[in-house]
Amino acid sequence: MNTKEYIESGKAKFEREDYKGALDDFTEAIQAQPVDDNWGAWNGLDNAYYWRGKTQRRLENFESAIADLTNAINASCALADYFGDNNRKHIASALSEYYQFRGLMKERLKDYKAAIEDYDKSIKHQYTNSKSYLFRANAKVALGYYAEAIGDYGKSYTEVEFAEDFFNRGKVKLYAKDYIGAKKDYDKAIEMEPNLENVCFCGQIKAGLRDYEGAIADFAKAIEQNPDSAEIYFNRGKVKFQLDDYMEAIDDFNQAIKINSKYAEAYYYRGMAKSALKDEDGAEEDYFRVIEIIPIPSSAQDYNIHGMANAALDEHKSALEDYKKILDRDNGLAPDYADVYNNRGKIYEHLGKLTEAIEDYSQAIRKNPKHDEAYFNRGKVKYSSKDYIGAVQDYAKAIEINSNVAEEAYYYSGRAQLVMENYTAAIGNFSAAIEINSNYAEAYYYRGKAKEVINRHKLAVSDFNKAKELNPNIEDLDNEDHADNDQGNPKDVTEFMSLFNQRDGLKYLTHDFDEGGAFDIEAFLLKAKDVFTTHSQLSIPKDLWVLLNQFAFSTAVDDFQNSPIASGWSTPEWIEWSKKNGLHPIRNDKFKQIINDFRQATRIESPMLEELVNDIVYDVLDVEKFEIETKDLSKANFYTHVGSFKAALEAIFEEIKNLAHSDDKRKITIRYERDTMGDYFIRKVLITCHDYVSPEELNVLLKEWETGKIKSKLQGYCHWSVETMIEDKPVKINILRDKRALKSEKLETAIEGFTHILTFYYK
C-alpha cells in the first residue's frame, strides 16, 4: 500500500477506537515512499503525521503527539515553499489546524506559554479559526491573563455570537472576579441556549457577589443533579466557610475529598476551617497533605495552592519561592497571575514588609483592575503605613467594584477618616457600615468616638452603650489600636522632615526642580509615594503625618477644610497646570504661596520664633505686669507642627499667668540655645518663670504637666523637661523623654522659680 492507502486504513481503525492498529498504519504511511513528487503525495505525508499525532493523543502519549504535529507542520511548510502561491489557501488551513492541535497537546503538558504561541500561529494562518481563539483564551486563563482571555472570547464570535462563547467568556470573568460581567454573559448564554444552564456556575457567580444564601441553594440543586462532583461540594464548602459555618464547611470539604482524594484545594480550605475552630493540629495535617499531593508543582495553579499551604504552615520563604516560580518576569509560569500577586502581598504584609506588600497588591490591580480584594488589602496596608488618604481611596474603589465588601470597607474607611480628624466623614462611613450590619459593635464604638470629639455627647454615649451591649470587651480596642494613637518620636520626626532637604527624598515638594528637563509631576508624585511608604515605620505624630499626606497626596479640595494649607500637589488644579506647562508648581504664584504656607506650618525658621513668642505674650499676658526678656529667638530653626507648638506655648504662658502672686512685676526669660548630640543638632527653647512657687502650687503643676495640654501638644515633637526646686532640692523632671533618660535628675545649683526646656532635634 502507498501513503494514502495506509492513511485511509489508519483512519478507519481510529474510528473503531483501535488506536494501536491505527498507530501502526500511520507509521507505515510515513515510511512508505510517496507515489510521485506531486503536491498530493506531500499532502499525504503531512496528513499521516497529523493523524498519527491524533492517535498518540488518544493513547495519552502527548510528547510523541507534539513531535508528530511538528513534523506535519514542517511537511506543510516545505510544501508551501515548493508550490508558492498555488494551493496556499488549502495549505494555510491545514497549518492552522496543525498548530491548533499541537497547542492543545502543549496545554495537556501544562506548557501554556508554548501553547499560546501555537494558537497565535494557528490564527495567523487562518484568522477565522474560532476554536483557536477559544483554546488560546483557556491557556491565558491558566496563566492568569484574564483581560486578554476575555478579548479572545470576544474575537471568537466576530461573525456569529455563539451562546457557548458567552458562557465561556462568563467563566473567564468569574476567574477575573468580574462577577457582574460574568452574570451578564451567563444570562445571555442561557437566553440564547437554555440547555447551557449550569447551576454550579450560577452558584459561583452568586458566591462572588456575596449572595451566599443564593449560592448555597444553587450548589444544593447542582449536587442533586450531579452527586459525584467533588467541585460542587468544594465550592459550597467555601461559601459556608465565608459564612463562618466552619463545621458545615468541613462536612462539604470531607465529601469533596471522599470523591477525589487528591483534591489539594479541598484539603487547604478544610485546614483553614479547622484552624478557625482552633484545631491547629488538624489544620497542620491538612496543609501537609497539600504538600504531599503536589510534591513538585508543575503548573501555576499547583504552585499557587502549594504556596498557600506553605504560607499557612508559616513556611514563608518556601511560599515566596513558590510564588516566584509563577511570577518571575523572565521564567515564571504566569507572570500576570493577579491572584498570586495578591497572595504574595499577604505574606509580605504578615512579615511587616509593607512596601513590598503594597507593590504586590498594586500589581494584582494592574493585572486585574476589578480585583476588589487587592484594593481592600492595599487599603489596609496603606492604613498601617499611615497613608490614610490612599487607604480611603482604595476602600472606595473596592466598594465600587463589589458592593458586597462595603461593610468592612466603610468601617476601615471610617477609621482612616477618624485619624485624619474628618469627623463628619468618619461618622458617615461608620453609619454606612452599621446600616449593612446593625450588630457591628466596632462601628458603633468608633462612631461614638467621632461624635464625642464634635461635642455630640448624648449621641456618643448612645453609641458607646450599644457597642458595649454587643461586645462587653469593646474598650480593649483602645489598647490594640497603635496606629490611631501614635505619639511620635522627636528623632523620627527629624529623620523624616530632613527628607525635604534631600534630592532623592522629598526636596522637590518644597523646592524648585533644578535637575534639568521638563518636570513630570505624575512621575514625581509616584517617587514621593515610594519615599513615604519606605519611611512609614518612623513614629510621626498623627497631626503632622496627616498634614504631610494632605500636602502631597490629597486629591479633593474638601480635604483641606481644617488644614493650614488651601490645597496640595495631587489636586487636579496643580496636576493639570504642571502637566500643561512642564514646570514645577512653585513657578505658579498661587501654588508657591501654598508651598510657603506648608513650610511655615512644619518648620520654625528665622525670625518665626521671635514673632510667635511676641504674639503669644501679648495675647495671653498682661504685659504691664511682666518683665519679658528674650535671647536669640530670631536664630531658631527646627521642624515641628507649628500649630501644636504654638498651642503648647500658649498653655505654658497661660499657666504662668494663673499663678497666684503679689502685684509686683514678674519676670519671664525666654531664650534659644543650640548644641550637638551625635548625629543631631540640638535646638532648645527655654522658658523661665522667676517667681517663687509654693509647694502647693508645684504639686498642682506637676499633675498638670503629666496629663495636661502642654504634654499633649508637644508629644512626639520634642523632649520636655522642667527644672525646679522640690523640697528645697534642685531637680530636673523629664516629662517627655528619651527611653534611656531618667524620670528625674538631681541638679547641683539652686533654681529660681522653674524653667521649661523644650528640646528639638535637627539634621
Side-chain angles (χ1 to χ4, degrees):
M1 292 194 294
N2 62 27
T3 296
K4 287 187 176 181
E5 290 169 338
Y6 275 120
I7 290 174
E8 292 305 316
S9 174
K11 287 167 70 173
K13 292 177 181 178
F14 184 92
E15 293 299 324
R16 296 196 303 268
E17 299 184 5
D18 177 10
Y19 300 122
K20 187 177 184 304
L23 190 67
D24 291 340
D25 278 349
F26 295 134
T27 300
E28 289 291 342
I30 291 166
Q31 293 173 349
Q33 292 295 321
V35 286
D36 52 40
D37 290 332
N38 63 21
W39 172 80
W42 279 101
N43 185 51
L45 185 59
D46 75 332
N47 208 20
Y49 276 119
Y50 171 65
W51 275 98
R52 191 171 73 170
K54 291 186 71 170
T55 307
Q56 298 280 21
R57 181 245 185 185
R58 290 300 177 94
L59 294 170
E60 298 191 356
N61 299 326
F62 302 121
E63 291 181 353
S64 296
I66 289 171
D68 278 340
L69 267 297
T70 301
N71 284 326
I73 289 166
N74 291 338
S76 275
C77 289
L79 189 65
D81 291 341
Y82 182 79
F83 283 99
D85 290 335
N86 297 324
N87 295 298
R88 183 169 292 280
K89 184 175 181 181
H90 180 87
I91 295 170
S93 176
L95 278 170
S96 180
E97 188 171 355
Y98 299 162
Y99 277 118
Q100 179 194 104
F101 196 80
R102 191 174 71 173
L104 282 170
M105 295 304 95
K106 290 177 178 178
E107 271 202 73
R108 292 300 297 268
L109 294 175
K110 298 184 178 180
D111 189 355
Y112 299 110
K113 285 185 177 179
I116 289 172
E117 290 175 1
D118 274 351
Y119 297 138
D120 289 342
K121 292 172 182 175
S122 173
I123 291 165
K124 179 181 178 181
H125 285 287
Q126 191 174 33
Y127 71 90
T128 58
N129 190 337
S130 182
K131 286 187 177 179
S132 285
Y133 285 110
L134 292 173
F135 296 147
R136 188 171 70 177
N138 292 334
K140 288 177 177 178
V141 168
L143 292 175
Y145 302 170
Y146 298 119
E148 292 180 26
I150 290 169
D152 273 349
Y153 280 120
K155 292 170 186 173
S156 74
Y157 49 79
T158 301
E159 297 178 8
V160 181
E161 293 189 347
F162 297 114
E164 185 179 354
D165 295 347
F166 274 112
F167 184 85
N168 288 332
R169 190 175 71 173
K171 288 203 299 186
V172 176
K173 289 182 177 179
L174 176 66
Y175 288 128
K177 302 183 185 297
D178 178 8
Y179 305 115
I180 295 172
K183 186 176 186 306
K184 287 180 180 178
D185 277 351
Y186 174 74
D187 290 344
K188 179 68 174 176
I190 301 307
E191 177 188 329
M192 296 172 67
E193 182 53 70
N195 290 333
L196 283 173
E197 182 178 9
N198 185 314
V199 286
C200 180
F201 181 35
C202 194
Q204 288 176 280
I205 293 172
K206 288 179 180 177
L209 292 170
R210 300 202 180 189
D211 175 10
Y212 295 132
E213 298 302 329
I216 287 174
D218 279 345
F219 290 134
K221 185 177 178 182
I223 288 169
E224 289 178 9
Q225 296 173 354
N226 189 358
D228 295 325
S229 171
E231 181 185 4
I232 300 172
Y233 281 107
F234 169 69
N235 282 315
R236 189 173 70 174
K238 284 207 318 184
V239 172
K240 291 176 178 177
F241 179 86
Q242 291 294 331
L243 291 170
D244 299 338
D245 189 354
Y246 303 118
M247 291 301 297
E248 287 286 330
I250 288 172
D251 287 344
D252 274 346
F253 296 139
N254 287 343
Q255 190 63 32
I257 291 166
K258 182 179 179 181
I259 297 168
N260 178 1
S261 62
K262 294 188 180 297
Y263 204 150
E265 283 186 283
Y267 281 106
Y268 171 76
Y269 278 97
R270 189 175 73 176
M272 294 281 285
K274 289 178 179 178
S275 180
L277 292 172
K278 308 300 182 186
D279 178 10
E280 298 300 343
D281 290 340
E284 186 174 290
E285 184 178 332
D286 277 345
Y287 300 143
F288 276 119
R289 184 74 180 113
V290 174
I291 307 299
E292 290 173 6
I293 293 170
I294 316 174
I296 304 175
S298 59
S299 68
Q301 291 91 334
D302 285 351
Y303 273 111
N304 188 31
I305 192 66
H306 199 266
M308 291 164 67
N310 272 321
L313 290 166
D314 289 331
E315 295 290 340
H316 298 116
K317 183 178 179 181
S318 296
L320 291 174
E321 289 173 356
D322 284 335
Y323 294 141
K324 184 178 180 182
K325 293 283 188 181
I326 304 172
L327 300 176
D328 184 75
R329 178 50 56 187
D330 295 325
N331 301 307
L333 292 166
D336 293 325
Y337 202 153
D339 282 353
V340 179
Y341 280 109
N342 186 58
N343 289 339
R344 191 171 69 176
K346 292 177 186 177
I347 293 178
Y348 283 133
E349 182 180 353
H350 178 79
L351 295 174
K353 296 183 176 182
L354 303 187
T355 302
E356 291 88 343
I358 286 176
E359 177 55 30
D360 268 357
Y361 292 139
S362 298
Q363 279 284 25
I365 290 164
R366 282 192 281 272
K367 305 304 179 186
N368 179 7
K370 292 185 179 294
H371 207 304
D372 58 282
E373 185 184 352
Y375 274 109
F376 184 80
N377 289 339
R378 190 174 71 174
K380 288 198 300 180
V381 177
K382 285 183 177 179
Y383 182 93
S384 298
S385 302
K386 303 178 189 174
D387 177 9
Y388 304 117
I389 295 167
V392 168
Q393 292 169 345
D394 277 349
Y395 294 138
K397 191 65 179 177
I399 294 169
E400 177 188 324
I401 295 169
N402 184 359
S403 61
N404 291 291
V405 305
E407 178 187 328
E408 289 183 279
Y410 276 127
Y411 168 73
Y412 284 107
S413 184
R415 294 285 299 274
Q417 297 284 14
L418 189 60
V419 174
M420 293 189 290
E421 301 181 0
N422 297 332
Y423 300 115
T424 302
I427 290 169
N429 284 149
F430 293 132
S431 297
I434 290 167
E435 187 174 340
I436 298 168
N437 177 5
S438 60
N439 293 319
Y440 205 151
E442 292 85 352
Y444 281 109
Y445 183 72
Y446 283 106
R447 188 174 72 173
K449 278 183 165 289
K451 290 176 179 178
E452 187 176 44
V453 174
I454 58 176
N455 298 319
R456 293 164 65 178
H457 298 298
K458 288 185 178 179
L459 293 174
V461 169
S462 175
D463 276 348
F464 289 143
N465 289 339
K466 181 65 175 178
K468 199 166 184 67
E469 173 190 326
L470 293 167
N471 179 1
N473 299 317
I474 192 69
E475 292 176 356
D476 291 346
L477 287 174
D478 286 335
N479 299 324
E480 297 172 6
D481 185 17
H482 111 96
D484 282 6
N485 299 288
D486 197 343
Q487 297 177 330
N489 180 310
K491 293 178 181 177
D492 282 358
V493 169
T494 296
E495 292 291 340
F496 190 88
M497 295 305 292
S498 68
L499 295 169
F500 284 88
N501 294 321
Q502 299 174 27
R503 287 175 180 270
D504 58 350
L506 302 172
K507 175 180 177 180
Y508 299 122
L509 281 174
T510 52
H511 296 74
D512 198 0
F513 187 67
D514 59 3
E515 295 188 7
F519 182 73
D520 185 340
I521 188 169
E522 292 178 330
F524 170 69
L525 286 174
L526 285 174
K527 289 177 64 177
K529 176 67 74 174
D530 287 342
V531 173
F532 269 72
T533 302
T534 301
H535 294 82
S536 63
Q537 296 308 301
L538 294 175
S539 185
I540 311 296
K542 181 182 70 175
D543 50 359
L544 177 60
W545 190 254
V546 169
L547 176 57
L548 293 167
N549 273 274
Q550 282 179 337
F551 180 59
F553 306 121
S554 281
T555 58
V557 175
D558 290 347
D559 293 341
F560 298 87
Q561 289 181 352
N562 300 313
S563 176
I565 53 177
S567 63
W569 276 82
S570 295
T571 53
E573 186 182 12
W574 286 55
I575 290 176
E576 289 169 10
W577 183 90
S578 182
K579 287 174 68 175
K580 179 180 178 181
N581 296 280
L583 296 173
H584 189 290
I586 206 168
R587 303 289 186 89
N588 177 297
D589 289 343
K590 176 182 177 181
F591 304 151
K592 181 178 181 179
Q593 181 57 54
I594 294 171
I595 290 172
N596 287 335
D597 290 343
F598 171 78
R599 288 174 62 100
Q600 292 181 5
T602 56
R603 183 174 180 174
I604 295 291
E605 294 181 281
S606 177
M608 281 181 63
L609 182 58
E610 187 171 44
E611 295 172 352
L612 192 63
V613 166
N614 287 338
D615 289 343
I616 294 171
V617 164
Y618 280 94
D619 285 345
V620 174
L621 301 178
D622 183 348
V623 292
E624 297 297 324
K625 295 182 178 181
F626 287 88
E627 176 186 343
I628 310 295
E629 180 181 322
T630 64
K631 183 179 180 182
D632 292 335
L633 300 189
S634 63
K635 298 177 181 178
N637 186 7
F638 54 87
Y639 295 110
T640 188
H641 187 291
V642 174
S644 294
F645 177 61
K646 179 182 178 183
L649 292 181
E650 289 171 341
I652 290 172
F653 287 116
E654 191 72 39
E655 176 186 272
I656 292 172
K657 182 184 76 172
N658 292 334
L659 290 172
H661 285 283
S662 66
D663 292 334
D664 295 341
K665 200 160 190 173
R666 301 160 63 189
K667 183 178 179 181
I668 300 174
T669 301
I670 309 150
R671 63 190 190 275
Y672 176 74
E673 296 179 356
R674 293 178 289 186
D675 202 347
T676 59
M677 178 190 292
D679 295 334
Y680 299 95
F681 296 106
I682 302 300
R683 306 291 190 245
K684 291 184 180 180
V685 179
L686 300 95
I687 303 171
T688 301
C689 173
H690 296 272
D691 294 334
Y692 166 77
V693 182
S694 69
E696 294 77 17
E697 286 178 317
L698 187 58
N699 284 334
V700 172
L701 288 175
L702 288 171
K703 291 179 181 178
E704 178 64 25
W705 291 338
E706 285 295 336
T707 60
K709 183 177 181 180
I710 301 172
K711 182 176 182 179
S712 70
K713 293 300 179 181
L714 295 177
Q715 185 95 47
Y717 295 109
C718 67
H719 289 135
W720 171 38
S721 304
V722 178
E723 294 182 352
T724 189
M725 301 289 290
I726 296 180
E727 297 179 352
D728 295 328
K729 296 177 181 177
V731 295
K732 181 180 182 181
I733 307 163
N734 297 312
I735 303 165
L736 294 175
R737 60 189 183 276
D738 191 280
K739 291 180 180 179
R740 293 170 294 181
L742 299 173
K743 188 171 183 179
S744 63
E745 305 172 45
K746 294 179 180 179
L747 301 176
E748 298 297 327
T749 307
I751 295 169
E752 181 184 22
F754 59 87
T755 298
H756 291 278
I757 306 171
L758 314 183
T759 303
F760 294 86
Y761 298 85
Y762 186 78
K763 291 185 81 171

